Amino acid sequence: MAHISDRVQALAASATLAMSQKSNELKAHGVDVINLSVGEPDFETPRHIKEAAKKAIDDNYTFYTPVAGYMSLRKAVSEKLAKENGVTYAPEQIVVANGAKQALCNVILASINPGDEVIIPMPAWVSYVEMVKLAGGTTVEIHADISQDFKITPSQLEAVITPATRMILLCSPSNPTGSIYSREELKALVDVLAKRPDIMVLADEIYEHINFTGSFTSLASFPEIADRTTIINGVSKAYAMTGWRIGYCAAPLWLAKAVTKLQGQYTSNASSIAQKAAEAAYTGSQECISEMNKAFERRRDLVVELARQIPGLKVNRPQGAFYLFPEVSAYIGKTTPEGKAIASSSDLAMYLLEKGHVATVDGAAFGMEGYIRLSYATSDDNLREAMRRIAETLALLKEQNK
Ligand code: PMP
Ligand code: GLU
C-alpha cells in the first residue's frame, strides 16, 4: 500500500525536469522534438577536466572524502572566490555538495524553521519555493515582470520585510529570465537589507560566468552584508559539467558546520572523482569559459532577433544565463485548430510541444503566469528551426480566432 509522506505530497514535481522527460519520451517514439526546456550547456566537458577525472580513478581517489569535500577543492574554491569575486571565505566555510541544487537545499534546511519567511523575487527557478516548503518555511514572493526587466526594486523589497523575515534568495544572472542586477542595483537592495542584520542573504551565483555584460558583482562583496551572505555556485554551468554533480555553498562558519552535519547524515560527500574534476576546472585554464560564453552570446542575439519577429511575443534582452522568458499572454484565451482552449501558459507550452514539437517550460512553474521559458543552450540550427516552428504553431492559434 502506497503511503506517501505529507511532506512529499505537498511537493510539486520539478517542471523543468518533467518537461524535458516528456520531450525525451516523444523523441523515443520517433517524434522530432527540439528540446528548449531543460537548462544545461550543450557543450562537452573540456578535455583537461575529463583527463583529471580519469587520473583521479587511476590514482585511487575512490574512497569516502570528508563530508564537506576534499580540502584541496575547498581551497581552490576559496581562492577562486577571492580572486574572481573579491570575497573572503576560508576553505572551512565551503561545503561541497551534489550540485548547486543540493547546496541550496542544504542551506535552506539547515537554517529555516516553520514560520520563517523567505523572500523570493519572482519569476524564480522552480526549485526554490519547493525547498522552502520542505523546510516548513513560508515563501514571500515579490513579482517583477518584463516591464521592470524582471528585477525587483528596493521599495518592493522594503514592503515585504516583516519581523518573521529570515532570508532573501536572489539569483543573478537569473534563471528563468537572464536578467542581471548591476552593482548599483544590488547596492540599493543591500541598503535596505543593511537595516535588518538578522536577515540572511542567499545568493545563487551559478550563472556568474554566463554573462554578456563584461562584469559581475557578487552579493557577498558588499561589506554591509558580507558576514551573513551565503554564495551558491558550482561547475555545472560554467564548465559544462551538469552530470558530474558538483556545487557548493560558501557560508558563515556556523552555517557551513550545520550544513556539514546535515549532509553527513543524508548523502555524505559528493563523488570523489567528480570533486577532483572540479578541482581541475578551478585550477586549470579558464579559456573554455570565454569560448562558451561567446557562443551563448551569439545565440542570445539570434533567439532575441527571431522572437521579436513573432507577433504578440514580448521579449527583453537577457544579459546572461541562457534563457529567454517571453511574455505570451497575447495567445492565452485563444483556441487551437482542434478546438481546444488555451487557458494558461501551461496549455500553451503543451500545445507548442504537441503541435509544434518544441519543448519549453510554462512560466507559472517559475511563479509567473503568461510567460514561457526557452533555453537557448542548443545549436544555432536548432534555434532557427525551433523559432520557425513556434512562429508557425502560434500563427495557427490566431487564425482560429478570425
Ligand atoms: N540554481 C539555478 C538557478 C539553476 O538554474 C540550477 C540548474 N538547474 C541550479 C541552481 C542547480 O545546478 P546544479 O546542476 O549544480 O545542481
Ligand atoms: N537549471 C536547469 C533548469 O532550470 C536544470 C534543471 C533543473 O534542475 O531544474 O532547467
Side-chain angles (χ1 to χ4, degrees):
M1 184 202 71
H3 181 83
I4 297 168
S5 68
D6 295 345
R7 188 182 305 111
V8 170
Q9 291 214 37
L11 214 57
S14 165
T16 48
L17 300 183
M19 201 58 174
S20 183
Q21 193 181 329
K22 204 164 266 167
S23 143
N24 290 338
E25 279 165 14
L26 280 174
K27 267 191 204 162
H29 283 94
V31 183
D32 163 33
V33 178
I34 301 179
N35 188 0
L36 306 187
S37 64
V38 75
E40 68 173 335
D42 56 324
F43 300 107
E44 290 170 1
T45 301
R47 183 182 294 276
H48 69 282
I49 299 175
K50 294 197 275 197
E51 291 304 328
K54 290 179 199 168
K55 185 165 181 320
I57 296 174
D58 289 337
D59 291 350
N60 296 307
Y61 284 96
T62 53
F63 299 91
Y64 289 132
T65 81
V67 169
Y70 286 125
M71 196 34 103
S72 54
L73 172 58
R74 294 158 76 199
K75 273 192 184 138
V77 169
S78 168
E79 280 161 21
K80 171 253 180 279
L81 290 171
K83 197 170 113 200
E84 293 183 354
N85 307 116
V87 299
T88 310
Y89 289 88
E92 293 71 24
Q93 292 176 264
I94 287 147
V95 184
V96 177
N98 292 284
K101 195 180 253 181
Q102 189 189 10
L104 273 160
C105 204
N106 276 345
V107 168
I108 291 170
L109 287 176
S111 59
I112 296 302
N113 274 327
D116 287 344
E117 292 180 0
V118 179
I119 297 174
I120 304 184
M122 294 284 163
W125 181 46
V126 294
S127 294
Y128 295 157
V129 169
E130 301 306 316
M131 288 173 182
V132 171
K133 213 190 268 175
L134 264 186
T138 305
T139 296
V140 174
E141 300 183 356
I142 305 176
H143 289 263
D145 68 13
I146 197 164
S147 66
Q148 54 191 96
D149 198 22
F150 305 109
K151 291 189 264 192
I152 62 164
T153 62
S155 52
Q156 280 185 300
L157 174 59
E158 192 131 39
V160 300
I161 292 177
T162 75
T165 306
R166 185 81 190 102
M167 178 185 275
I168 174 166
L169 204 178
L170 199 81
C171 180
S172 173
S174 155
N175 176 3
T177 67
S179 293
I180 300 182
Y181 287 84
S182 67
R183 183 164 193 89
E184 293 68 37
E185 287 164 339
L186 287 178
K187 170 74 173 114
L189 298 178
V190 166
D191 286 344
V192 175
L193 294 169
K195 295 180 211 157
R196 277 286 301 272
D198 57 324
I199 298 178
M200 293 187 292
V201 179
L202 187 51
D204 185 346
E205 301 184 346
I206 188 88
Y207 293 100
E208 165 191 15
H209 284 299
I210 304 170
N211 180 337
F212 319 130
T213 67
S215 78
F216 174 74
T217 303
S218 170
L219 254 182
S221 67
F222 293 92
E224 300 93 316
I225 57 164
D227 62 351
R228 52 186 160 114
T229 298
T230 298
I231 295 178
I232 300 293
N233 208 331
V235 293
S236 290
K237 316 287 166 169
Y239 300 95
M241 291 177 70
T242 46
W244 299 75
R245 311 307 304 130
I246 297 289
Y248 60 83
C249 70
L253 192 57
W254 61 266
L255 184 53
K257 284 184 180 165
V259 160
T260 307
K261 182 164 84 168
L262 175 68
Q263 188 170 294
Q265 290 290 21
Y266 197 22
T267 60
S268 298
N269 59 275
S271 154
S272 56
I273 298 150
Q275 284 189 50
K276 293 306 280 182
E279 193 181 320
Y282 285 122
T283 55
S285 163
Q286 302 299 300
E287 222 170 280
C288 51
I289 291 182
S290 46
E291 275 167 25
M292 290 190 266
N293 209 38
K294 259 186 240 150
F296 285 131
E297 186 170 7
R298 191 187 64 240
R299 292 164 178 181
R300 187 272 314 261
D301 291 343
L302 176 66
V303 86
V304 166
E305 184 197 319
L306 295 175
R308 287 199 169 143
Q309 290 167 17
I310 301 178
L313 290 198
K314 274 194 218 146
V315 291
N316 67 336
R317 191 174 176 75
Q319 296 182 305
F322 36 62
Y323 305 107
L324 187 69
F325 201 61
E327 206 241 298
V328 294
S329 51
Y331 292 97
I332 293 170
K334 307 232 166 187
T335 314
T336 72
E338 293 75 27
K340 242 166 97 179
I342 300 289
S344 63
S345 49
S346 166
D347 287 350
L348 191 71
M350 208 43 77
Y351 168 71
L352 288 175
L353 178 63
E354 286 167 0
K355 188 89 180 169
H357 299 159
V358 180
T360 61
V361 187
D362 130 52
F366 304 94
M368 198 155 277
E369 176 54 45
Y371 292 77
I372 56 172
R373 189 191 77 173
L374 315 178
S375 162
Y376 58 82
T378 187
S379 70
D380 295 22
D381 284 349
N382 267 350
L383 289 174
R384 278 197 198 91
E385 175 59 13
M387 297 312 282
R388 190 194 65 73
R389 290 184 192 181
I390 291 176
E392 190 180 87
T393 316
L394 289 177
L396 291 176
L397 285 177
K398 291 168 89 184
E399 279 159 19
Q400 281 298 303
N401 262 4
K402 273 182 189 160

